[in-house]
Amino acid sequence: MSVKVIKFYILVIGAILTIGTLLPLPLAIANTSTSVTQVKPATVNLTGTIKKIEVEGVCYQFAADNGKKYELMGKFPKIDGTRAQVSGVPKSDLATICQVGQPLQVKTVKVIK
């Protein structure tokens, strides 16, 4: 084999590897399966206390009566110590700056007086 042929093969292999690394991984994985089932996260209904926590700015944690802690996202009363019933969707695929509990996308809030 001549040097020119070897250089040509190296060039072709390099081009194939370069193109392969530029393709997004989900695109490559998505083509390997014929069906994908997505599960919607379940809504949770909780009772607990809204807590204002000053870490990396101001964050709001929901300390549920069941002992779990959530970082509230969305519309809710931003008053420390407020007792409330909260309905929302936990987000396990999301990272936040404050890291004060599992992110919870709030759907409804009912303040308990």
Side-chain angles (χ1 to χ4, degrees):
M1 219 186 262
S2 73
V3 175
K4 287 184 180 181
V5 173
I6 294 172
K7 285 183 179 180
F8 175 75
Y9 283 128
I10 291 173
L11 179 67
V12 170
I13 292 171
I16 291 170
L17 292 174
T18 301
I19 291 170
T21 59
L22 295 176
L23 287 177
L25 185 59
L27 177 62
I29 293 172
N31 292 332
T32 62
S33 176
T34 57
S35 66
V36 176
T37 305
Q38 292 188 359
V39 178
K40 287 188 176 183
T43 300
V44 294
N45 298 304
L46 305 161
T47 301
T49 306
I50 297 172
K51 296 183 177 183
K52 179 180 178 180
I53 298 178
E54 295 189 29
V55 188
E56 301 289 333
V58 176
C59 302
Y60 290 89
Q61 180 187 71
F62 188 74
D65 291 347
N66 65 9
K68 293 185 180 179
K69 306 225 184 306
Y70 297 90
E71 183 172 340
L72 297 176
M73 301 168 27
K75 293 184 179 182
F76 57 91
K78 294 175 172 59
I79 302 169
D80 188 42
T82 301
R83 291 278 301 156
Q85 292 177 330
V86 174
S87 160
V89 178
K91 301 287 188 177
S92 59
D93 60 342
L94 185 66
T96 64
I97 293 173
C98 293
Q99 303 282 316
V100 295
Q102 182 177 7
L104 181 71
Q105 182 64 51
V106 175
K107 287 186 170 184
T108 62
V109 176
K110 180 181 177 187
V111 174
I112 302 171
K113 296 187 180 197

